[in-house]
């Protein structure tokens, strides 16, 4: 992504039909600062941009829960219009990744990144967007909380591809596993695509393989090249935007894991039932989220592709929805 160009487009979208001069005055500036921002001659800080966003009538506290922590309460959301809130948001988003790892992924100085995470300095808007993408791989979903990504020219095609991939993940879940198979070294070593290879690897029917391949070709997620299937657009597909369909997808993959467990498939199947304080349960929940974020980071950087794994993790409170208060 071109984060500078994307920043200009975001500011232009936020301005709407107002002139640059009128929008600058609306934000409390005497000079035409919006012209400087949109032309890339200067940039607002991340906090400055989000302050302008709220001044324009968009409530981030109402919009961000769908992205932040998979559905946090509005009062739990960091105030992104403040430098402290930006620092807290980025620090939480990186999870257990070190400053050095995040700086390397973002191609920025580790000293600058450390200062941004501590709130000792404020990242410019392009640097903030870069860090969100590197820390979460979900920048498009973040943008969708306060802008229409399809109206941002530099990422509109990416957004359409992501939405198409999400539909495929919901409507035909095995298609996501088919994508993983064609990344494998063993598939890439084939002289040409062999019908049934994918089905045999995943232990699904050949009809299911054919349906998934057809859908992925139509969606542009795979393409034919020299007789084999190869990945198309590279996307991190997060299905949480639609809570109902997200639950269905999670339940579907949980059933896959359950079927394999009952069949005696080798794997790490474990459980731990315990009583714990609510404070410690909150700590465990954060550890759970951090582990999953780190898992995704390892997967994103892993080479070569030699096997396919399904990580199914569950953490839930067992008991009445409204437990009686303790005294």
């Amino acid at each position: 992504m071109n984060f500078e160009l994307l920043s200009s487009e975001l500011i232009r979208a936020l301005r709407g039909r107002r002139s640059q001069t009128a929008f600058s005055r609306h934000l409390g500036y005497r000079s035409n600062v919006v012209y400087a921002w949109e032309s890339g001659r200067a940039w607002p800080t991340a906090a400055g941009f989000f302050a302008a966003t709220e001044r324009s009538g968009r409530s981030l506290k109402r919009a961000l829960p769908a992205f932040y922590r998979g559905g946090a309460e509005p009062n739990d959301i960091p105030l992104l219009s403040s430098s402290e809130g930006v620092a807290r948001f980025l620090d939480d988003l990186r999870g257990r990744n070190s400053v050095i790892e995040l700086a390397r992924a973002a191609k920025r100085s580790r000293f600058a990144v450390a200062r941004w995470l501590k709130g000792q300095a404020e990242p410019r808007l392009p640097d903030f967007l870069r860090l969100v993408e590197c820390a979460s791989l979900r920048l498009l979903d973040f943008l969708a909380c306060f802008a229409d990504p399809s109206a941002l020219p530099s990422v509109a095609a990416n957004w359409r591809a992501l939405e198409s991939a999400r539909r495929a993940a919901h409507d035909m879940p095995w298609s996501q596993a088919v994508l993983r198979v064609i990344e494998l070294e063993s598939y890439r070593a084939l002289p040409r695509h062999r019908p049934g290879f994918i089905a045999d690897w995943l232990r699904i029917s050949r009809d299911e393989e054919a349906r998934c391949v057809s859908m992925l070709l139509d969606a542009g997620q795979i393409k034919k090249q020299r007789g084999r299937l190869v990945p198309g657009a590279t996307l991190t597909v997060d299905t949480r935007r639609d809570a109902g369909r997200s639950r269905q997808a999670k339940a579907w993959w949980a059933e896959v894991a359950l079927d394999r467990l009952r069949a005696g498939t080798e794997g790490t199947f474990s459980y731990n039932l315990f009583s714990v304080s609510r404070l410690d349960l909150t700590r465990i929940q954060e550890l759970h989220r951090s582990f999953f974020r780190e898992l995704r980071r390892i997967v994103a950087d892993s080479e070569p592709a030699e096997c396919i794994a399904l990580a199914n993790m569950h953490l839930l409170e067992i008991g009445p929805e409204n437990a009686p208060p303790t005294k």
Side-chain angles (χ1 to χ4, degrees), residues 224-295:
K224 294 179 179 178
Q225 188 177 87
R226 297 179 181 177
R228 284 188 290 108
L229 302 175
V230 297
T234 301
L235 300 168
T236 298
V237 181
D238 190 288
T239 59
R240 288 177 290 179
R241 282 178 59 79
D242 185 324
R245 301 202 74 183
S246 177
R247 282 192 298 271
Q248 292 175 5
K250 291 172 184 176
W252 194 90
W253 285 108
E255 289 288 347
V256 170
L258 183 58
D259 289 343
R260 300 295 166 92
L261 170 62
R262 287 170 172 160
T265 301
E266 289 293 324
T268 304
F269 300 96
S270 57
Y271 73 93
N272 190 350
L273 187 64
F274 51 86
S275 60
V276 67
S277 71
R278 294 207 172 275
L279 177 61
D280 285 334
L281 178 58
T282 300
R283 293 173 57 198
I284 294 169
Q285 289 169 334
E286 180 52 38
L287 182 64
H288 181 89
R289 287 188 288 263
S290 296
F291 170 76
F292 196 73
R293 286 194 294 263
E294 187 170 356
L295 181 152

Side-chain angles (χ1 to χ4, degrees), residues 302-324:
S302 182
E303 292 182 357
E306 298 172 320
C307 55
I308 302 171
L310 170 62
N312 237 325
M313 298 178 289
H314 309 282
L315 176 65
L316 65 154
E317 184 175 354
I318 297 177
E321 288 189 13
N322 298 307

